[in-house]
Amino acid sequence: MGMSIREDIGALFAKYHLSKTALGVRILQMNKDKGWLIPPPLQIKRPE
């Protein structure tokens, strides 16, 4: 977007990127709600 010479092409790419990001967020939320995505356990460093 920043390297685009024409503003309309940059805006078109930004619109496409935003819609793809919004779809990814919806899919991620659906995966978490349905229990399909299980996060790994946190690794806590213990003092030695």
Side-chain angles (χ1 to χ4, degrees):
M1 288 182 292
M3 298 175 81
S4 177
I5 296 172
R6 294 175 40 185
E7 293 86 13
D8 58 340
I9 302 297
L12 186 65
F13 182 75
K15 181 180 170 185
Y16 168 74
H17 187 70
L18 182 63
S19 65
K20 192 164 180 123
T21 303
L23 180 65
V25 168
R26 284 180 43 203
I27 290 172
L28 178 64
Q29 190 63 41
M30 184 178 67
N31 284 336
K32 286 182 179 180
D33 291 342
K34 293 190 179 279
W36 295 339
L37 182 66
I38 301 170
L42 294 175
Q43 293 185 5
I44 302 172
K45 293 186 177 181
R46 295 187 179 131
E48 295 181 32

